[in-house]
Amino acid sequence: MEDIEDLFIGAGGGGAPPGFRLPITSVGLNPKKNKKKPNLNLNANTNNLSQIKHPLAPFSPKIPGTETIYIKTFGCSHNQSDSEYMAGQLSAFGYSLSDNPEDADLWLINTCTVKSPSQSAMDTLIAKGKGAKKPLVVAGCVPQGSRDIKELDGVSIVGVQQIDRVVEIVEETLKGHEVRLLSRKTLPALDLPKVRKNKFVEILPINVGCLGACTYCKTKHARGHLGSYTVDSLVGRVKSVIADGVKEIWLSSEDTGAYGRDIGVNLPILLNAIVKELPIDASTMLRIGMTNPPFILEHLKEIAEVLRHPCVYSFLHVPVQSGSDAVLTAMNREYTVTEFKTVVDTLTELVPGMQIATDIICGFPGETDEDFTQTRDLIKEYKFPQVHISQFYPRPGTPAARMKKVPSTVVKNRSRDLTSVFEAFNPYVGMEGRLERIWITEVATDGTHLVGHTKGYVQVLVDGPESMLGTSAIAKITSIGRWSVFGEVIETIPQMNDKAALGKERLSQDKCFPCSNNFETCACSTEPETCACGPESCGEQATLTKCSVTANAVQLEGQNNRNLIGWLLRKRKNQGQKFLDNQIDLGSKEKQEQAQRSIDKWGVVDKALLGGMLVSFLTIVALVVHLGFRIMSFK
């Protein structure tokens, strides 16, 4: 079966608006000649698609749009976002979604081509579906980059830029047709219906493809050259998902750092535009996605400023892949180990509490023992909190697949060795006993704990009811593990939902540069006071008076003490006003007066102080009068 090439009747090549379903008469089909099947030559105006039957699917007796769909996703967060968009469109059209493949009328498999194991898992699932006589639709990078592999025989295909037409593909596949939609020159719209796997997390693709040409990468074959969404469209999506109640926004792409170079903007421009739209109480956090070193080197200071913002996680995924310049050259990574170190050192210096994750490929063709030792030393030197270690897998059609391979036993030994080096240290030493603000968004895989993340995106496991999902809290770290830490929730932080109140507070608060965490002090203070950009504020940059953050992230113990004191002082200071605000929100005049009286009520200490002041005043008056009489008597 050849590709359906987006032929539209009378459309002049423009196509339908993204997200709109096209009538089947508007889709062109050119089937392959097959000796075992009738040679049907259908053109774009035909209504005879029902004559081409899918070999696995009889005509569905159900009403279109009432069937059940099982969706399986492999690969990265971008793939997950694509699956959520496809699920949203199918659900909006009336289809039911199921996590049980046996109950489904059709399987939609979204694939990943980065590594051989993920593609092997896809092959296994397709074979299982064919064995169960399930109609299959395969999406993602595998069919887009390798459309002619035998595993895709007899299945329908939807390309990575055709996810807004998944309903058409599913409908026709359920009728028994084998259809393919792969080619497109425009990006899918961002405002399509979406069913999120986690309702509190929005995965927002900011661009597709990349500017690189890594010799081992198959994803470039599928996602293609860089294509960026506009700043306005992304900011509009951010506003929309915040209104939907999303608490984390993940910016996702094949290379976040390359964003905008095809449309005349850059990543800092986008980040600053998005940050302006985040709630000032830091109830919604931004996580910047994976970025390769070459494209952020020139923007390190701007990126660091954004990462210091209280509404942005101080976390970045920067793949190094190897600690050897010789291997990086063979990979065509377009940077050196020294440049990678510059990225890490600069961000660590400028962003207190900065956490950086990285990737390593063990056993790339031509990697010598000396090359591997350099990689090993890099991991030992920086002690990254997260390192994704993988063995080299030759991907068909890539230049690296034709290079001389390192023996598989050597590759496996190096992978095990590097894993041992990584697991020999604990990156979270020193956190025990600290107070941290965390954002809670999911249930842990153990089914018992809730998962929160600190400003540095350290995973914190806490006990609590599921009603805490989507909230922020102050947690005390009680113990540390190798992959996460455990904490105890001290207090949940209320969200500020009144837009008028938020606007008033935004105007009245003293502004400062974004703090690296929620409890740091400002250098422009004459005494230790908590910064305006704490949990109650997102701390916009001041337009008149600028103050800088002077907290030293290296002095963890001192910082911990400031955290505790600052939190207690702030809590005490705001308690009365918060009580009044809460009563005012009830809308009752009587309760407003009651709240005002409770704040204005004089305590015993207040009365004693007033009495002391009055006595002192009368004493002074008496002394003045007495001195006056004495002076007059002398005269």
Side-chain angles (χ1 to χ4, degrees):
M1 190 70 63
E2 298 293 342
D3 301 342
I4 295 177
E5 295 290 351
D6 292 353
L7 303 177
F8 308 110
I9 294 179
F20 280 59
R21 297 178 58 253
L22 297 171
I24 197 61
T25 54
S26 299
V27 180
L29 176 65
N30 292 313
K32 283 184 179 179
K33 294 181 180 181
N34 192 324
K35 295 180 180 179
K36 298 181 179 180
K37 296 180 181 179
N39 182 9
L40 300 176
N41 186 13
L42 307 180
N43 58 38
N45 296 319
T46 187
N47 289 315
N48 293 327
L49 281 178
S50 58
Q51 297 181 46
I52 304 178
K53 293 296 182 180
H54 194 291
L56 302 178
F59 183 82
S60 175
K62 295 185 179 181
I63 298 173
T66 63
E67 292 91 343
T68 300
I69 311 297
Y70 166 70
I71 301 178
K72 175 64 177 179
T73 305
F74 296 95
C76 63
S77 60
H78 197 161
N79 258 22
Q80 180 61 47
S81 176
D82 287 351
S83 290
E84 292 173 357
Y85 273 124
M86 290 189 286
Q89 294 169 85
L90 291 167
S91 180
F93 193 67
Y95 289 100
S96 299
L97 305 176
S98 175
D99 293 328
N100 186 351
E102 305 303 325
D103 295 340
D105 298 299
L106 178 143
W107 292 5
L108 172 57
I109 305 170
N110 197 359
T111 61
C112 172
T113 190
V114 172
K115 300 177 184 178
S116 297
S118 59
Q119 186 163 337
S120 297
M122 176 210 75
D123 296 342
T124 301
L125 189 59
I126 289 177
K128 183 178 179 181
K130 289 180 177 180
K133 304 297 183 183
K134 298 287 186 180
L136 301 175
V137 175
V138 179
C141 293
V142 171
Q144 189 74 56
S146 306
R147 63 187 70 182
D148 295 324
I149 60 175
K150 61 177 179 157
E151 287 80 9
L152 298 178
D153 288 345
V155 303
S156 293
I157 290 175
V158 55
V160 294
Q161 293 187 33
Q162 295 282 8
I163 59 172
D164 54 353
R165 297 179 63 187
V166 67
V167 172
E168 298 172 62
I169 298 293
V170 167
E171 281 185 325
E172 295 307 312
T173 303
L174 285 169
K175 291 177 183 178
H177 304 148
E178 178 190 340
V179 291
R180 295 188 172 194
L181 227 70
L182 288 168
S183 300
R184 196 191 199 142
K185 295 182 180 180
T186 58
L187 299 175
L190 292 172
D191 58 354
L192 297 171
K194 197 170 191 179
V195 175
R196 300 183 186 92
K197 183 178 180 181
N198 183 335
K199 68 178 182 178
F200 298 113
V201 177
E202 165 72 7
I203 304 172
L204 179 59
I206 63 174
N207 56 265
V208 300
C210 68
L211 294 174
C214 300
T215 56
Y216 57 84
C217 183
K218 185 73 173 177
T219 306
K220 180 69 179 260
H221 295 193
R223 295 285 182 177
H225 197 66
L226 181 67
S228 302
Y229 287 95
T230 65
V231 172
D232 288 344
S233 65
L234 291 166
V235 169
R237 181 64 181 176
V238 167
K239 292 179 180 178
S240 174
V241 301
I242 290 174
D244 287 344
V246 161
K247 301 304 175 186
E248 283 188 5
I249 300 172
W250 298 359
L251 302 186
S252 178
S253 79
E254 283 64 56
D255 187 354
T256 302
Y259 168 80
R261 290 172 179 259
D262 57 321
I263 57 174
V265 294
N266 57 43
L267 183 61
I269 291 174
L270 173 65
L271 294 179
N272 285 313
I274 290 177
V275 163
K276 290 179 181 178
E277 304 301 330
L278 299 177
I280 64 172
D281 61 350
S283 56
T284 299
M285 295 293 288
L286 179 70
R287 194 186 85 174
I288 304 174
M290 186 274 289
T291 177
N292 287 310
F295 300 112
I296 61 168
L297 275 167
E298 62 189 271
H299 301 301
L300 283 178
K301 290 185 178 180
E302 296 95 325
I303 299 294
E305 184 176 350
V306 173
L307 290 167
R308 287 196 302 267
H309 196 285
C311 299
V312 181
Y313 285 120
S314 305
F315 170 83
L316 202 59
H317 178 194
V318 187
V320 63
Q321 304 300 5
S322 175
S324 164
D325 284 339
V327 174
L328 291 177
T329 299
M331 291 177 171
N332 197 28
R333 290 289 289 170
E334 300 181 340
Y335 59 87
T336 64
V337 176
T338 299
E339 289 173 328
F340 171 78
K341 288 183 176 182
T342 297
V343 172
V344 176
D345 293 341
T346 303
L347 293 179
T348 303
E349 177 185 357
L350 297 180
V351 186
M354 183 71 194
Q355 300 280 312
I356 294 179
T358 194
D359 299 346
I360 297 291
I361 297 176
C362 290
F364 188 81
E367 183 185 65
T368 64
D369 290 339
E370 182 181 355
D371 294 329
F372 176 70
T373 299
Q374 292 174 1
T375 300
R376 201 173 183 273
D377 292 343
L378 181 70
I379 301 303
K380 290 177 69 174
E381 178 183 356
Y382 282 92
K383 294 182 170 57
F384 299 102
Q386 298 178 38
V387 180
H388 309 117
I389 301 170
S390 63
Q391 300 173 30
F392 170 74
Y393 294 101
R395 306 301 294 132
T398 62
R402 301 189 296 270
M403 298 179 183
K404 185 177 181 181
K405 298 176 181 57
V406 176
S408 59
T409 53
V410 175
V411 175
K412 291 178 182 177
N413 288 336
R414 288 177 181 173
S415 177
R416 283 193 290 263
D417 186 11
L418 193 61
T419 300
S420 298
V421 170
F422 170 64
E423 294 179 351
F425 59 85
N426 192 316
Y428 307 127
V429 172
M431 288 192 66
E432 191 169 357
R434 288 170 56 180
L435 286 176
E436 295 279 355
R437 182 174 181 178
I438 62 172
W439 289 263
I440 304 170
T441 55
E442 61 182 315
V443 178
T445 53
D446 62 9
T448 302
H449 294 90
L450 302 180
V451 178
H453 291 94
T454 68
K455 176 72 162 62
Y457 211 67
V458 176
Q459 182 175 270
V460 183
L461 302 180
V462 297
D463 291 318
E466 291 193 15
S467 59
M468 290 181 65
L469 291 173
T471 67
S472 180
I474 302 297
K476 181 179 180 180
I477 306 303
T478 56
S479 63
I480 61 173
R482 181 60 187 82
W483 312 106
S484 59
V485 300
F486 292 85
E488 175 187 355
V489 174
I490 303 299
E491 181 190 28
T492 57
I493 299 176
Q495 298 180 29
M496 302 177 65
N497 297 319
D498 188 348
K499 292 185 178 179
L502 287 176
K504 183 178 180 181
E505 177 165 334
R506 185 187 290 273
L507 292 174
S508 64
Q509 63 184 237
D510 293 327
K511 297 179 180 180
C512 67
F513 280 119
C515 293
S516 61
N517 67 39
N518 298 319
F519 306 105
E520 290 181 349
T521 58
C522 289
C524 55
S525 301
T526 57
E527 58 184 5
E529 290 184 346
T530 55
C531 180
C533 45
E536 294 80 22
S537 163
C538 268
E540 293 181 333
Q541 180 173 326
T543 56
L544 297 176
T545 304
K546 295 183 178 180
C547 59
S548 60
V549 176
T550 60
N552 188 342
V554 178
Q555 299 174 346
L556 294 177
E557 188 63 31
Q559 185 185 48
N560 181 42
N561 292 336
R562 289 197 301 275
N563 289 354
L564 177 58
I565 294 171
W567 172 60
L568 292 174
L569 289 175
R570 183 168 53 258
K571 183 180 176 183
R572 179 179 179 85
K573 179 179 179 181
N574 295 335
Q575 185 175 9
Q577 187 59 42
K578 283 184 178 179
F579 180 71
L580 174 61
D581 291 342
N582 289 338
Q583 295 299 326
I584 290 176
D585 286 342
L586 295 176
S588 169
K589 183 176 180 181
E590 179 182 350
K591 290 187 177 180
Q592 292 179 28
E593 295 172 352
Q594 237 178 12
Q596 187 63 52
R597 286 198 300 272
S598 68
I599 291 178
D600 294 338
K601 186 177 179 181
W602 290 79
V604 175
V605 176
D606 299 322
K607 291 178 180 178
L609 288 172
L610 181 61
M613 292 170 62
L614 183 59
V615 169
S616 299
F617 177 77
L618 292 175
T619 301
I620 292 171
V621 171
L623 287 172
V624 170
V625 172
H626 177 70
L627 289 173
F629 279 116
R630 290 287 297 272
I631 292 171
M632 291 176 64
S633 64
F634 281 123
K635 291 180 179 181

